[in-house]
Amino acid sequence: MMQPERNPDPRNCDCDAHDATRAKLIPFDAALLKGLALAIPISETETLALATATGRVLARPVVARTPLPPFDNSAMDGYAVRIADFDGSPPWHLPVGARIAAGEPAVDDFAPGTAVRVLTGAQVPSGFDAVIMQEKVECRGTGITVLRRPASGENIRRAGEDLEPGGIILKAGRCLGTRAMAALAAVGDGMATVNRKIRVAIFSTGTELREPGEPLGPGQIWNSNRFMLMADLTEPWIELIDFGTVKDDARTLKATLAEAATVADIVVSTGGMSVGDEDHMPRVFQEIGGRIDVMRVAMKPGKPVMVGMLGETIYVGLPGNPVSAFVTWMLIGRKILEKKAGFVDTTNMTSKVMAGFDLSRRPGRCEFRPARVVGLDASGNRIVLLSEPSFSARIASLAAADGLALLPAEKARVSRGDLLEFLPLLN
Ligand code: AMP
Ligand code: MG
């Protein structure tokens, strides 16, 4: 069945048909590239004890000074042997000369034909070139019986096999998440040099906004964008400066934007970006000396997103509709922020999903549509259904979505079974 794709709500400011200015839209990819070009990564660094570096952005590559692992060690609980001792045919009987556990130094001089009891992680004595799993031997008094000739190197983790000295274990620009912290610790560094925290100032605009917990008067709504941004900006590499909520009053907006720009590397606001009487932000931004680099993007939702520079500070003006604010933030604003903070890889990990619907639409803007995974087809492809066509204000369907399905700008039809790019939403 075809989903109707007309926009039934003429008050939805994200609708092309009600756009007064009709100025040319710039393609989403071009907008993102222009925005990213403004983000010159932070160069100031700080050196932190490892335990406090979690989640920060690595300023320099981390190089292993010693081999990883540092010495030949046993991958199993078993017996270290020398293959040269396995002449002739089985069975072979070997006396056990010593026992070495993890953390104990290896002893090296053993008579020919001797096995050494080793536990996982134990240093393998020099000259021993295989470890036989304990399950594969028979213990006879103080010796073992072996029925199969071991292979060279069997169950030995060689010094440097993971990384040689001088090898780069982490590149600069890597966020010190779970695996990176493990890697950093494994090469023995007690300190990490990271970029200083990036300072992000946020404010919400809208006379209608009240804070959650406050009672609503007529015509008022609760401010959700502020909490969306605060949640997304709660990161160890960010210092968040919250300027709260500002009424649609040009003077106050101007003062807030100017002050925010003096304290932050990036200022992010929501609302007031469009062409209505109370949409003051583009004008206010320019009146205090802002230079607009990106405006009017061919995307849905989020056409009125704006990016520019106010002195050294990047300004990202997001539309007020909550889904538009979220999508433009995630796909443009956050990418600019990550690059400025020093992240090297800011690409989104998308996957393919299968359309579980037919749809026709007006081409021109690429669409990022909240979508839910509703099942799997016979080959294991995830099948998605989209949220309703007029979705830019629908927070409940955004909250329920599993991800954003991408409908490319030029695509006028999607048929059931088509593969679509899909950006999973984890938070
Ligand atoms: P604007 O972009 O300011 O014209 O706002 C577009 C729509 O989003 C209006 O319906 C606003 O009431 C709503 N809106 C703006 N800011 C917020 C916010 N912070 N939280 C929730 N809704 C908002
Ligand atoms: Mg507004």
Side-chain angles (χ1 to χ4, degrees):
M1 201 190 70
M2 201 74 95
Q3 279 188 227
E5 276 299 295
R6 279 169 296 110
N7 190 331
D9 182 357
R11 291 158 299 179
N12 184 336
C13 74
D14 222 24
C15 167
D16 283 330
H18 295 85
D19 179 1
T21 63
R22 311 302 291 162
K24 202 170 174 335
L25 302 179
I26 61 166
F28 170 77
D29 291 344
L32 177 60
L33 285 178
K34 274 185 119 175
L36 287 172
L38 303 178
I40 297 157
I42 281 178
S43 54
E44 297 106 291
T45 64
E46 51 186 317
T47 299
L48 302 175
L50 215 52
T52 60
T54 300
R56 301 294 296 271
V57 183
L58 206 52
R60 305 195 224 299
V62 175
V63 173
R65 282 162 297 158
T66 52
L68 190 67
F71 51 87
D72 291 357
N73 69 93
S74 176
M76 294 287 171
D77 293 322
Y79 294 87
V81 294
R82 289 168 288 208
I83 290 172
D85 292 336
F86 292 81
D87 256 357
S89 46
W92 295 278
H93 304 286
L94 292 86
V96 176
R99 176 185 181 276
I100 309 170
E104 292 174 356
V107 195
D108 278 341
D109 54 336
F110 294 99
T114 310
V116 175
R117 172 81 171 131
V118 285
L119 299 172
T120 305
Q123 195 168 12
V124 172
S126 65
F128 283 67
D129 46 12
V131 169
I132 306 173
M133 283 171 74
Q134 65 184 36
E135 294 85 339
K136 300 271 168 68
V137 306
E138 268 174 48
C139 293
R140 289 260 170 86
T142 57
I144 56 169
T145 300
V146 179
L147 299 175
R148 180 184 65 82
R149 190 192 310 274
S152 173
E154 178 174 306
N155 297 322
I156 295 180
R157 301 185 286 219
R158 292 287 180 201
E161 72 175 20
D162 197 4
L163 199 63
E164 296 285 357
I168 292 177
I169 192 158
L170 295 171
K171 294 182 185 153
R174 172 85 181 248
C175 188
L176 294 175
T178 313
R179 288 174 298 132
M181 285 303 290
L184 206 47
V187 296
D189 279 350
M191 309 289 280
T193 301
V194 298
N195 289 346
R196 76 149 164 84
K197 289 189 183 190
I198 188 159
R199 291 187 279 266
V200 187
I202 59 170
F203 60 98
S204 315
T205 77
T207 303
E208 74 279 27
L209 301 177
R210 287 292 168 273
E211 297 311 305
E214 291 177 0
L216 290 184
Q220 297 180 336
I221 58 168
W222 285 297
N223 183 348
S224 62
N225 289 341
R226 177 166 171 239
F227 291 85
M228 179 275 288
L229 282 177
M230 287 199 302
D232 197 57
L233 292 167
T234 301
E235 295 273 14
W237 46 276
I238 294 174
E239 181 187 333
L240 182 62
I241 309 146
D242 179 19
F243 282 82
T245 303
V246 185
K247 290 197 169 20
D248 292 314
D249 167 66
R251 273 184 48 197
T252 322
L253 290 168
K254 204 187 264 191
T256 308
L257 183 55
E259 193 193 337
T262 62
V263 298
D265 301 297
I266 299 195
V267 176
V268 185
S269 71
T270 61
M273 297 305 305
S274 201
V275 292
D277 298 348
E278 295 293 352
D279 291 328
H280 302 291
M281 292 313 291
R283 196 178 61 251
V284 154
F285 175 66
Q286 285 176 293
E287 281 173 7
I288 58 172
R291 184 196 74 209
I292 297 175
D293 290 88
V294 174
M295 201 180 184
R296 295 183 46 79
V297 181
M299 67 188 290
K300 186 181 173 181
K303 185 173 57 177
V305 62
M306 195 181 101
V307 185
M309 294 299 295
L310 200 48
E312 299 286 285
T313 303
I314 298 175
Y315 172 57
V316 180
L318 306 174
N321 272 316
V323 182
S324 312
F326 173 77
V327 168
T328 49
W329 171 250
M330 289 316 246
L331 295 173
I332 297 179
R334 191 178 162 107
K335 299 292 146 195
I336 296 171
L337 172 67
E338 287 176 355
K339 184 173 171 218
K340 180 88 193 156
F343 284 65
V344 166
D345 185 8
T346 63
T347 48
N348 286 317
M349 290 281 256
T350 57
S351 55
K352 296 280 184 200
V353 292
M354 187 170 276
F357 55 87
D358 295 308
L359 161 159
S360 60
R361 64 189 278 276
R362 174 145 51 116
R365 288 200 272 163
C366 66
E367 228 175 292
F368 300 95
R369 185 84 76 93
R372 284 194 315 115
V373 176
V374 292
L376 298 177
D377 75 357
S379 326
N381 292 307
R382 286 167 299 162
I383 301 170
V384 299
L385 291 180
L386 303 184
S387 64
E388 41 299 294
S390 177
F391 62 95
S392 57
R394 299 201 185 206
I395 306 178
S397 43
L398 178 64
D402 297 306
L404 299 174
L406 171 61
L407 311 181
E410 66 287 353
K411 211 165 173 63
R413 271 192 75 85
V414 178
S415 305
R416 196 180 290 258
D418 283 358
L419 286 181
L420 298 173
E421 209 173 333
F422 184 72
L423 177 66
L425 294 175
L426 304 174
N427 293 308

